[in-house]
Amino acid sequence: MDLETLDKLDPVRNAGHQAEHHERCLRGTRESILEGIMRWAQNTQDQPVFWLNGLAGTGKSTITQTFSEMASDRDILGASFFCSRDYLDRKVLKKIFPTLAYQLACRYLRFRDHLVKVIKRDPSVAHNSLISQLRDLLVDPLSATGISCVIVIDALDECVDDQPASAILSVLGRLVSKLPLVKFFITGRPEPRIRSGFRLPLLEPFTQVFLLHEVEPTSVGGDIRLYLTVKLAAIAKRRSDLDLPEAWPSDEDITVLVKKSSGLFIFASTVARFIESEHHDPRERIRLIVSNADDTSHEGASGIDSLYSQVLRDAFFGIGDEYVFVDLKRILSAVVLALNPLSRDGLMQLLNIDSTTISIRLRHLHSVLLVPVDGAKEIRVFHKSFPDFLQDPGRCQDSRFHIDRSTRHRDMALSCLSLVGKLKVNPCALPPFVMNRDIPNRPQLLMNKLGSGLRYACEYWSAHLLFSGSSKEYHNWLIASMSLFFDHVLFPWMEVMSLEDHLEGVIHSMNHLLDWLGKVSGTCYGQYP
């Protein structure tokens, strides 16, 4: 019964450290940083909030994952939430506190007893304002039960937040003093709203700041050297098909790679995946990297940009068929711009490109993309610096790979509308008058009858339309597609949205459509209430 009540919080199931995909730190690396964080976590006199502040690619999430595991082993971790812009429910601020409360309730019985009473008193508590959520779901139950623990929030900068100072940090500053036994470990890039949030007068006195990108360069370089040495030695051991010298890679090669990394662990991990490709000779791969003339000793971003450019050039070297790059750009755009990660099966259905072609186009990009063998599993980027690179014409200067957001969102909207246009009345072939609650295993039924691509298209066609900008070039196509949508598939689409338990998405979609029409026509249509 308690679990049914807790389910009203609608927690994000894959947001905790145990469900996360981040690697943990290689043994022997980041030791002083992790020891310092653990000392803070176990010292009741230190400030209750710790901000691990680091630039993109400096290894924040890997450190967070390792610290979370260490804290769990020492029985001091209460709950964790790994934010991610790649997952719709993990970038929504109002999902954080309910999910943390759910995890705490699963871990501490006395917390659960208190929380269940809160939910029964206000079943909609998970949808209240952030300040109400924090007070009712975390502060009051933790204060009442006297629980001492650490709460982890990783990559806060990846959440959608329109406030000048982080909304989460603003409410935390107002209530953190009421939790003397609880510590908050928070990571995020030093973006303006995150910096402003931690500088708020109510929060700054309670916050300890650690600047990850200002760690002594020799210390970071030593960790990256160890990481590369271990990873490349493992590659040499696996490649029994090659006669690699015993001293491969050479100390000189490792030194060049460490220098080129400029303190970016993402550079080192990307290099390792690039070199370990089973389709290439690792000696040739490492030569391509160390012989690159670009100097990356002063600018970390230029190092990773140079690496991404090299990965792309090498993957498609000698290919002159323009249709290869047309397919590649459509596939990469869908992977990068998807509002929820898509699998190979979903891409095949959405883009009308066969699975084999998708696999071939992506087969040499495994150093920057996670492409599972299972076609039903999601394709993901290893680090957001790669999609950032692809979408910035100043960084990605090869037009074959550059992704123009507005143009590609337009293409995604057209693909979604084309696929949704194939819906028929009663798309899941349900018996008359059946109620949603009486349909067993609805998610699997929807997957079997519709497929992941069509489910995605139903959910996100309007968002891609809104992001497609106001260029007039394709207005007629888009408007024609929407006319067909309203003439033929409006009600089947609404039925799908109902089966997905997402009828509010119908209103959001209509608002997106009105907003887009207002942009392209220069008229403000307003919104539905």
Side-chain angles (χ1 to χ4, degrees), residues 454-474:
L454 180 51
R455 294 179 71 187
Y456 178 93
C458 287
E459 181 95 11
Y460 298 111
W461 67 266
S462 66
H464 286 297
L465 179 70
L466 183 61
F467 294 145
S468 66
S470 55
S471 171
K472 295 182 178 180
E473 184 181 0
Y474 284 86

Side-chain angles (χ1 to χ4, degrees), residues 168-303:
I168 285 282
L169 299 178
S170 298
V171 300
L172 183 61
R174 293 164 63 181
L175 296 176
V176 68
S177 62
K178 298 181 181 297
L179 292 172
L181 300 179
V182 179
K183 294 204 164 188
F184 290 86
F185 179 81
I186 302 171
T187 77
R189 289 194 285 183
E191 294 183 349
R193 59 186 169 83
I194 302 296
R195 293 200 309 272
S196 298
F198 279 111
R199 290 171 179 169
L200 291 169
L202 289 174
L203 186 59
E204 188 172 26
F206 294 97
T207 302
Q208 179 173 329
V209 182
F210 187 94
L211 301 177
L212 186 57
H213 46 280
E214 293 188 5
V215 172
E216 178 62 38
T218 55
S219 173
V220 180
D223 285 348
I224 290 178
R225 174 178 288 275
L226 176 58
Y227 175 88
L228 287 169
T229 300
V230 172
K231 290 291 185 180
L232 298 186
I235 292 170
K237 188 175 182 179
R238 286 199 303 272
R239 293 304 298 268
S240 57
D241 57 317
L242 298 172
D243 186 22
L244 293 172
E246 185 175 345
W248 186 91
S250 68
D251 286 343
E252 291 78 8
D253 287 344
I254 293 291
T255 298
V256 172
L257 293 176
V258 172
K259 181 179 179 181
K260 284 182 174 292
S261 71
S262 298
L264 283 177
F265 263 86
I266 185 61
F267 183 99
S269 62
T270 304
V271 162
R273 288 193 295 270
F274 178 71
I275 294 171
E276 74 178 351
S277 169
E278 62 183 34
H279 305 292
H280 299 82
D281 186 330
R283 292 167 296 191
E284 177 62 21
R285 301 287 266 190
I286 201 171
R287 187 194 66 78
L288 288 170
I289 300 299
V290 300
S291 63
N292 194 318
D294 291 345
D295 179 9
T296 64
S297 59
H298 301 294
E299 182 64 40
S302 70

Side-chain angles (χ1 to χ4, degrees), residues 467-526:
F467 294 145
S468 66
S470 55
S471 171
K472 295 182 178 180
E473 184 181 0
Y474 284 86
H475 287 180
N476 291 339
W477 282 12
L478 286 165
I479 290 173
S481 295
M482 285 183 289
S483 295
L484 291 172
F485 170 84
F486 282 103
D487 287 343
H488 300 290
V489 297
L490 176 62
F491 289 108
W493 169 67
M494 291 177 66
E495 184 178 353
V496 171
M497 297 296 279
S498 172
L499 290 169
E500 295 276 15
D501 280 332
H502 193 41
L503 270 177
E504 69 274 15
V506 173
I507 303 299
H508 295 321
S509 293
M510 295 304 102
N511 282 331
H512 288 159
L513 175 56
L514 287 173
D515 286 346
W516 180 79
L517 288 171
K519 283 199 303 183
V520 301
S521 67
T523 302
C524 180
Y525 285 91

Side-chain angles (χ1 to χ4, degrees), residues 108-128:
Y108 303 107
L109 180 59
R110 59 188 188 277
F111 183 96
R112 183 194 309 173
D113 292 340
H114 189 104
L115 185 62
V116 166
K117 294 176 183 176
V118 171
I119 299 170
K120 288 181 176 179
R121 185 170 65 247
D122 181 6
S124 64
V125 63
H127 303 286
N128 292 343

